């Protein structure tokens, strides 16, 4: 998946010049994985939170997270000539990007979606990501008229200089989803100091 490239890109472009009347919510230890558990192929985690069989390949077109009032279109993201992930347009507050070089949400593997936390106009689509609680549902509407429904397993915050790329982007045999934005402390010189990552697994599929 080119995780090193993705880490660099996310650290660079997710939220540069937003309007910050207050910092976005930060996940607490209660939202994190237990110390002995890990996402993806850790047997203990999978045994307590089973997933359903993977869906076929189909691009996502919309994301809904009712717990944080997200209802946004999805666009594909690619890599630029330098191998960096192209960001969603910075002037759109309600838009999420999907890394189309990876799997589609609902397929077996780790699907990656990213969005801004704020921009020059104000708060953006993933501003509330850090407040998601385990068990919250994420609905991904797909082009084939199916909807992949995920359940949040954990939400964690990582300093950008200690971003655990293997944990975030590691291979998994079941359908999983990562939602990523910026967060933590903010500096006018360097932007947000951390990334917020929500981990989720597929729980059901719906047809239109």
């Amino acid at each position: 998946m080119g995780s090193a490239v993705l880490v660099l890109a996310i650290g660079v472009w997710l939220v540069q010049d937003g309007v910050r009347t207050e910092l976005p919510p930060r996940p607490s230890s209660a939202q994190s994985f237990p110390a002995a558990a890990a996402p993806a192929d850790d047997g203990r985690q999978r045994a307590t939170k089973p997933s359903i069989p993977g869906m076929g390949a189909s691009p996502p077109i919309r994301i809904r997270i009712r717990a944080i009032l997200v209802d946004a279109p999805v666009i594909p993201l690619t890599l630029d000539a330098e191998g960096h992930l192209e960001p969603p347009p910075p002037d759109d507050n309600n838009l999420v990007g999907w890394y189309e070089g990876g799997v589609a949400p609902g397929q077996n593997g780790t699907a990656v979606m990213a969005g801004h936390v704020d921009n020059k106009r104000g708060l953006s689509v993933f501003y509330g990501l850090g407040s998601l609680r385990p068990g919250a549902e994420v609905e991904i509407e797909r082009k084939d008229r199916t909807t992949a429904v995920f359940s949040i397993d954990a939400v964690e915050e990582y300093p950008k200089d200690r971003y655990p790329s293997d944990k975030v982007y590691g291979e998994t045999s079941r359908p999983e989803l990562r939602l990523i934005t910026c967060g933590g402390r903010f500096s006018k010189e360097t932007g947000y100091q951390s990334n917020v990552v929500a981990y989720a697994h597929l729980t059901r599929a719906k047809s239109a």
Side-chain angles (χ1 to χ4, degrees):
M1 173 177 289
S3 60
V5 171
L6 285 179
V7 172
L8 174 62
I10 288 168
V12 170
W13 62 252
L14 279 180
V15 188
Q16 296 289 334
D17 300 306
V19 177
R20 298 168 187 85
T21 55
E22 60 183 86
L23 292 175
R26 302 177 69 175
S28 68
S29 58
Q31 294 161 263
S32 299
F33 285 109
D41 280 336
D42 183 283
R44 292 162 297 184
Q45 187 75 14
R46 195 168 57 245
T48 57
K49 298 183 178 179
S51 185
I52 66 171
M55 304 166 68
S58 182
I61 58 174
R62 195 161 199 90
I63 180 172
R64 297 182 179 87
I65 313 174
R66 290 180 173 82
I68 55 173
L69 305 178
V70 168
D71 187 347
V74 177
I75 62 170
L77 301 179
T78 59
L79 302 180
D80 63 20
E82 297 181 352
H84 297 164
L85 191 67
E86 294 278 5
D91 59 347
D92 193 327
N93 293 68
N94 195 49
L95 190 64
V96 173
W98 159 64
Y99 176 52
E100 67 175 350
V103 302
Q107 282 187 282
N108 286 332
T110 304
V112 177
M113 302 179 77
H116 293 292
V117 70
D118 62 14
N119 64 16
K120 292 179 180 180
R121 295 183 177 184
L123 307 184
S124 289
V125 61
F126 275 176
Y127 178 83
L129 197 67
S131 67
L132 276 179
R133 311 295 297 185
E137 287 194 338
V138 179
E139 296 187 356
I140 309 293
E141 184 180 339
R142 305 177 351 142
K143 190 174 181 179
D144 64 0
R145 298 175 60 83
T146 63
T147 298
V149 183
F150 294 83
S151 178
I152 295 293
D153 294 317
V155 183
E156 299 188 336
E157 179 183 313
Y158 310 114
K160 289 180 178 177
D161 60 356
R162 297 195 300 274
Y163 192 90
S165 57
D166 290 343
K167 180 178 181 179
V168 176
Y169 305 117
E171 294 295 329
T172 174
S173 59
R174 67 176 186 171
E176 298 203 8
L177 177 67
R178 305 290 184 263
L179 304 176
I180 305 172
T181 194
C182 283
R185 298 180 182 277
F186 178 80
S187 162
K188 289 184 178 180
E189 291 73 28
T190 59
Y192 284 104
Q193 304 300 299
S194 300
N195 285 115
V196 173
V197 180
Y199 298 80
H201 70 282
L202 185 69
T203 57
R204 66 184 189 276
K206 302 191 299 185
S207 299

